[in-house]
Amino acid sequence: MSTLPPSSHPARPAVSWIGLGIMGSPMSENLIKAGYDVTGFTLEQEKLDRLTAAGGTAAGSVAEAVRDADVIITMVPASPQVEAIAYGPDGILENARSGALLIDMSSITPQTSIDLAAAAKDKGIRVLDAPVSGGEAGAIEAVLSIMVGGERADFDEAKPLFEALGKTIVLCGPHGSGQTVKAANQLIVAVNIQACAEAVVFLEKSGVDLRAALDVLGGGLAGSTVLTRKKDNFLNRDFKPGFRIDLHHKDMGIVTDAARTVGAALPVGAVVAQLVASLRAQGDGGLDHSALLRAVERLSGARV
Ligand code: NAD
């Protein structure tokens, strides 16, 4: 497949961005800062206003946003939303031009990515799955890890764009591979948060100064990006998202399902998936995933 045709900006492709949420807004703004022309569409008017204020262009629909794009980036919650914006008469595949590159950065099932790549190929549209890790802070600071599935040539072409969004950028294999690695990422993060939450409750009930304990734990083998990034959430019981429990519930479903398919046992992951589901069932789905602390507190007798 040929490389991208020239856009209005000779050095950089014209970008369309669909999904300007917690992640999509700061990521698209980083592209604008790097000199890309970004036309965006999302469901909330205030997010479109934010894009315009940052120097982007707001579109009135998916079709309008993608029509003149060389590269289309999607960053929406889950597989159903990716399918809703990709397929159908108003979707990306019907309205983007042949030769465009579609990069889906949402965290979705690997099979959805594989199916999307196959459907897009019929329209002459190339696809990469490129989910990310690093959270809202990583998006704002442009230090995300980006795990990519698809063709090497498309990855190479997208690399400069990825470099405006993240620091660790790896082609993991064919279509769907980025999503499989992201599923493993979410397993590791959830188990890590759960372990930190259990340690917090244990430390507090033992009467140890929590801040001092988390400081010294962070410097040893127990230290982790999760502990560093979520320490203040634990200390202040600040569960403003961040990464919503609802989305982590979706991701634990993806990883446990994918693991069953390949015959991998995830005993600890399965328990943590249940704890995430329980938190959600208790009405905490809109909180940051560090709110797993609330689940441990409840199990330990607190009324939170
Ligand atoms: P979010 O809910 O904040 O944003 C999602 C955006 O998608 C919203 O602005 C919404 O308007 C838009 N959207 C949904 N349906 C749409 C449609 N039909 N047409 C146009 N726009 C539509 O979610 P988020 O936290 O930004 O997460 C996005 C993706 O990134 C998810 O797959 C999530 O799992 C993943 N992710 C999130 C984080 C994080 O820390 N928040 C970190 C890594 C990966």
Side-chain angles (χ1 to χ4, degrees), residues 181-198:
V181 176
K182 174 65 184 177
N185 183 88
Q186 294 306 83
L187 168 68
I188 295 167
V189 170
V191 171
N192 198 337
I193 293 178
Q194 178 64 20
C196 292
E198 292 183 14

Side-chain angles (χ1 to χ4, degrees), residues 11-212:
R12 295 182 179 83
V15 175
S16 167
W17 196 294
I18 314 292
L20 297 162
I22 288 175
M23 298 297 283
S25 278
M27 290 169 74
S28 59
E29 285 162 16
N30 284 333
L31 284 190
I32 293 168
K33 279 183 212 146
Y36 290 88
D37 287 337
V38 177
T39 300
F41 176 69
T42 204
L43 300 182
E44 306 87 359
Q45 184 57 46
E46 72 268 17
K47 296 292 174 65
L48 290 171
D49 295 342
R50 176 174 164 173
L51 176 73
T52 312
T57 305
S61 66
V62 170
E64 186 189 324
V66 303
R67 203 161 285 138
D68 299 320
D70 303 312
V71 176
I72 298 150
I73 301 181
T74 50
M75 192 52 161
V76 294
S79 292
Q81 288 82 18
V82 170
E83 289 166 346
I85 60 179
Y87 302 124
D90 302 323
I92 295 167
L93 300 193
E94 275 307 315
N95 293 283
R97 44 171 197 67
S98 181
L101 178 60
L102 168 56
I103 305 173
D104 178 38
M105 305 193 85
S106 325
S107 305
I108 63 172
T109 72
Q111 193 58 49
T112 306
S113 296
I114 293 166
D115 294 344
L116 176 61
K121 196 171 182 186
D122 293 341
K123 303 275 181 189
I125 295 169
R126 299 163 294 139
V127 177
L128 293 170
D129 49 296
V132 305
S133 179
E136 184 184 19
I140 293 167
E141 295 160 22
V143 295
L144 294 167
S145 274
I146 307 178
M147 32 214 108
V148 188
E151 302 287 334
R152 163 72 61 185
D154 298 333
F155 173 77
D156 290 344
E157 196 174 303
K159 194 85 185 291
L161 206 140
F162 288 145
E163 284 167 349
L165 303 173
K167 279 270 179 287
T168 308
I169 300 150
V170 177
L171 179 64
C172 301
H175 296 296
S177 305
Q179 297 297 352
T180 301
V181 176
K182 174 65 184 177
N185 183 88
Q186 294 306 83
L187 168 68
I188 295 167
V189 170
V191 171
N192 198 337
I193 293 178
Q194 178 64 20
C196 292
E198 292 183 14
V200 166
V201 173
F202 164 63
L203 287 162
E204 284 190 326
K205 284 200 171 241
S206 304
V208 174
D209 179 75
L210 185 60
R211 185 178 296 277

